[in-house]
Amino acid sequence: MDRFGEKVNCNPSVKLIKGEKYPLVDIDKINPGFKPVKSDEEIEYTGQSGAKFEDNDVLFARITPCLENGKMAVAKTNGKKGFGSTELFVFRGIDGVTDTDYIYYLLRMKHMRQLAANSMTGASGRQRADLGFIKKIKWDFPAIEYQKSIVSVLSNYDSLIEINNKRIKVLEQMAEEMYKEWFVRFRFPGYESAEFENGIPKGWEYSNLFDVANVTYGYSFSSDAFTDDETLNAVVRIRDIPKNDTKTFTPELCDDKYLIKENAILIGMDGIFHMCLWSGKRAFLNQRVVELDSKSVKVCNYWLYLSIYSQIKFWEQTLSGTTVSHLGDRHLKKIMVLVADDNTMKKANDILRNIMIQKNTLYKINMDLTKQRDLLLPRLMSGKLEVKNVSQL
């Protein structure tokens, strides 16, 4: 058995030049369960503190609850060095000894994350793992060629997940562009002959969010009862919204009105106001998460999502300050949406519903791929299943 720190470069030295721009990877960009993390944002390095890394390094959250939730990724910065949050550890394989992708999969194991979590110290809610402790964790590292063979199997799943994520992104861009073209630039079908009144097409009108959507605020589940027992009731918390999935369960019961509807809009009401169209498993709404569901078949939830997105992000920026931002009922009641005439709404909804169906299909495929990968991972890493036997499963 070897110590982790003997086989892995932990927070390796990376030299950045002041005044030059580098990719920035904040902890919020890391999505648990998805291997790559990319950044289109480059900012000037002025000597600020934080994690410094090279392309393909492993970024590992050291703060609770991010660590326990599996916030880790492999940096993909097109060969560039980068920097990020102070709450990230950086790990890299040693040439000829350990493969960096193998390190990523090793740290994805629940056993390893739990050991790291056991080293946490600090004030409640802001505890951080101790790197010295992690370096002492013992693991039976196989020969590097066998490490690479394990990586080749698991990476196939992650490659398929990434391809599907790219397809989802393209579909989202199509929907966003269609919405802007029709409802912002007013280049909808037949716009050439449309009449305008007060700056909007005749027959269109502004409606209050609460007039077009059912608004449901989450149930106050006891966090002390939360567990990972999948036989119990699934609960969606704010942190679950970006990944459209949850690993939180509870034995508590509540009214079915808190059961999340498929394709309903979920919004996190604290910190970053995360949003999604829920396509995950059957689950209940936790407190500080709000659900919006259209009252009419004339208004597709995807259209409603696109209509309010910029306004939610406006509140996110407006309410940010020295403390955590809080989105409230009074903010939602100020949101107005521009509803088109029935003919235009039908055409828009038909397009958006089709895109939503395609997105949901890809989400579900990714969930299946993630489940299969996560079942294989501990068996391959522990040696209970040999790589040569994977094709026989």
Side-chain angles (χ1 to χ4, degrees), residues 142-314:
I144 190 165
E145 290 306 319
Y146 197 73
Q147 292 177 34
K148 290 180 178 180
S149 64
I150 292 174
V151 167
S152 68
V153 172
L154 298 173
S155 289
N156 285 334
Y157 289 92
D158 283 310
S159 295
L160 289 172
I161 291 170
E162 187 174 2
I163 289 170
N164 286 338
N165 282 336
K166 289 178 179 178
R167 294 171 67 189
I168 290 170
K169 189 67 176 176
V170 169
L171 289 169
E172 290 174 343
Q173 290 170 346
M174 289 169 56
E176 290 167 11
E177 185 55 32
M178 189 226 78
Y179 178 83
K180 289 177 181 177
E181 188 72 357
W182 289 27
F183 294 91
V184 178
R185 305 183 191 107
F186 296 135
R187 291 178 173 270
F188 52 90
Y191 77 93
E192 298 92 343
S193 59
E195 296 181 39
F196 283 72
E197 288 182 345
N198 299 319
I200 62 175
K202 193 172 182 178
W204 295 32
E205 63 178 3
Y206 283 100
S207 297
N208 185 272
L209 174 62
F210 280 68
D211 291 332
V212 299
N214 294 307
V215 181
T216 304
Y217 298 102
Y219 181 76
S220 180
F221 289 101
S222 171
S223 58
D224 292 338
F226 288 159
T227 174
D228 59 1
D229 184 350
E230 297 186 11
T231 63
L232 302 175
N233 293 317
V235 177
V236 173
R237 295 189 278 178
I238 290 175
R239 61 178 150 192
D240 302 317
I241 295 174
K243 60 181 182 290
N244 224 306
D245 191 23
T246 180
K247 303 295 183 186
T248 302
F249 301 87
T250 181
E252 280 191 87
L253 301 176
C254 67
D255 194 287
D256 278 355
K257 73 177 184 179
Y258 298 106
L259 191 62
I260 300 170
K261 300 172 184 66
E262 186 174 12
N263 297 323
I265 302 166
L266 300 188
I267 306 173
M269 303 179 72
D270 291 328
I272 297 175
F273 302 156
H274 295 302
M275 297 177 62
C276 80
L277 288 161
W278 184 253
S279 58
K281 60 174 71 97
R282 180 182 187 274
F284 289 89
L285 202 65
N286 192 42
Q287 60 184 336
R288 303 306 298 160
V289 178
V290 63
E291 177 194 78
L292 307 179
D293 186 48
S294 173
K295 290 182 176 180
S296 170
V297 293
K298 295 180 181 179
V299 178
C300 168
N301 275 343
Y302 203 170
W303 178 90
L304 188 58
Y305 174 95
L306 294 167
S307 296
I308 67 171
Y309 183 85
S310 62
Q311 297 182 71
I312 294 296
K313 292 304 168 182
F314 166 80

Side-chain angles (χ1 to χ4, degrees), residues 34-87:
F34 295 107
K35 186 177 179 182
V37 60
K38 302 177 183 179
S39 177
D40 297 326
E41 180 184 11
E42 291 193 6
I43 67 171
E44 182 181 347
Y45 176 68
T46 60
Q48 55 265 59
S49 60
K52 300 176 182 65
F53 56 85
E54 293 184 356
D55 193 23
N56 296 317
D57 281 350
V58 176
L59 308 181
F60 181 87
R62 68 187 186 113
I63 191 170
T64 190
C66 297
L67 188 158
E68 296 93 328
N69 294 337
K71 263 190 178 276
M72 67 188 74
V74 174
K76 294 297 179 183
T77 53
N78 295 320
K80 298 180 180 180
K81 297 176 183 178
F83 66 104
S85 170
T86 57
E87 305 298 354

